Amino acid sequence: MKRKLHLIITMSVCLFTMSQNSFSQTVNVDASAAWVGYANVFDLSGTVYQFGQAWGVADLKTVIDVPSNTLTLYPNYNTYNATDTYWANGAIGNKIFEANTYVENTALAGHTVTFNGYCTSNTISSGYQNFAFVKALDPANGYATVVSVTAPLVTGQNFTITAPSIPTGLIVQYGFTVKGLNANPATQSTSLGNIVVGPAHLNTASFAAATPLKMYPNPASDRLTIEAADAIQSVSIYTIVGQEVLTVLPSDSVSVIDVSSLESGIYIVRSQSNGSVTTEKFIKK
């Protein structure tokens, strides 16, 4: 009986692995892609939503350089109007402007999507939130955000974002966000900095930095152990439809995670160690 059960579980893992491999899609920063823009505007607290609408990429203050294959992201200056009290308050802006520059691809729905890139420099002011993202929106539910995974943009570092098993029927977007006060171009156009991003750097040094991980037991019922050669910065566990159910920050080379509260099923484990991100699957018994 035990032998038969083990065989069934093994076959299930193999089938899931093949399914995931055949439905995994990787995208990289590509300046020649069809980048579009969207703006969300908030009051000065950043919490009260005012409106959102499609916005020109150049008007977001994103500069696309196809020959160099880079995007340069700036704080938004397009909306500033010193004579309009809605947008200006004295010498500075009067709204929190969220600029989203992204590629939209509905064909990525139904897949595990990984977005890779490289941050050449990030000199933007500390008053501005900025990150790379993969999102999935539900057009049948007011375009609500169903999946959202982000990564910081750090000078001289690659970033990798994996959104596991995005459900079919959703609209998938991947790109960048800069959020903060709408800026005054007369006084702040050079002082607030910018972010330059491009395709991921895949070289010998980056591969050498990769840290192999061990994960056991698999299947697991109560405890899941993850081991790495270096300290593990974070471990996140997702359902197969991309819902994050557990995150730990071990800061040690060995992490023992209590998974007893999880329902039985198949999960995705995303671990970060030594600047590398590893995605594995495990079965909760």
Side-chain angles (χ1 to χ4, degrees):
M1 182 66 179
K2 290 182 179 180
R3 182 181 180 87
K4 184 176 180 181
L5 178 60
H6 175 74
L7 179 61
I8 292 172
I9 292 173
T10 302
M11 289 177 64
S12 298
V13 173
C14 292
L15 287 171
F16 180 77
T17 301
M18 288 189 290
S19 173
Q20 284 297 104
N21 288 340
S22 62
F23 288 96
S24 294
Q25 298 286 337
T26 299
V27 292
N28 211 336
V29 175
D30 181 0
S32 65
W35 295 92
V36 295
Y38 196 91
N40 288 308
V41 178
F42 303 81
D43 75 341
L44 284 178
S45 72
T47 58
V48 180
Y49 187 67
Q50 304 283 295
F51 70 90
Q53 66 183 49
W55 213 271
V57 171
D59 293 329
L60 290 177
K61 301 307 296 181
T62 295
V63 177
I64 299 177
D65 188 338
V66 174
S68 66
N69 202 13
T70 61
L71 281 73
T72 303
L73 315 167
Y74 292 87
N76 179 263
Y77 307 114
N78 169 260
T79 59
Y80 187 86
N81 182 346
T83 63
D84 186 345
T85 57
Y86 182 84
W87 291 110
N89 180 11
I92 61 173
N94 199 32
K95 290 292 180 290
I96 299 299
F97 190 98
E98 179 188 275
N100 299 287
T101 305
Y102 58 92
V103 175
E104 186 170 283
N105 188 345
T106 57
L108 293 175
H111 304 284
T112 290
V113 177
T114 298
F115 176 35
N116 296 321
Y118 178 78
C119 180
T120 301
S121 64
N122 186 343
T123 61
I124 206 160
S125 169
S126 60
Y128 290 83
Q129 300 175 36
N130 57 92
F131 49 85
F133 66 80
V134 175
K135 295 179 182 178
L137 313 180
D138 185 0
N141 187 27
Y143 294 90
T145 301
V146 177
V147 177
S148 179
V149 188
T150 65
L153 298 170
V154 181
T155 298
Q157 291 188 16
N158 285 327
F159 63 84
T160 296
I161 307 171
T162 298
S165 301
I166 296 175
T168 58
L170 301 184
I171 297 173
V172 180
Q173 301 171 346
Y174 60 89
F176 306 97
T177 294
V178 176
K179 181 178 180 181
L181 192 69
N182 62 312
N184 181 350
T187 59
Q188 299 175 297
S189 59
T190 58
S191 63
L192 294 179
N194 59 53
I195 307 164
V196 181
V197 293
H201 286 197
L202 300 177
N203 52 39
T204 304
S206 64
F207 282 116
T211 304
L213 296 174
K214 296 180 181 178
M215 185 175 69
Y216 60 89
N218 193 5
S221 57
D222 298 313
R223 300 288 186 272
L224 181 69
T225 299
I226 299 176
E227 293 185 6
D230 300 292
I232 304 169
Q233 283 85 44
S234 65
V235 179
S236 297
I237 299 179
Y238 300 84
T239 66
I240 60 172
V241 297
Q243 180 185 3
E244 184 177 325
V245 293
L246 185 63
T247 294
V248 295
L249 306 172
S251 298
D252 199 349
S253 60
V254 179
S255 177
V256 181
I257 304 170
D258 183 357
V259 296
S260 60
S261 62
L262 299 181
E263 297 181 1
S264 298
I266 300 172
Y267 292 85
I268 305 294
V269 180
R270 184 178 185 270
S271 306
Q272 182 170 351
S273 177
N274 196 24
S276 299
V277 176
T278 302
T279 302
E280 302 284 349
K281 296 171 285 293
F282 94 95
I283 294 177
K284 169 60 169 63
K285 292 193 294 186

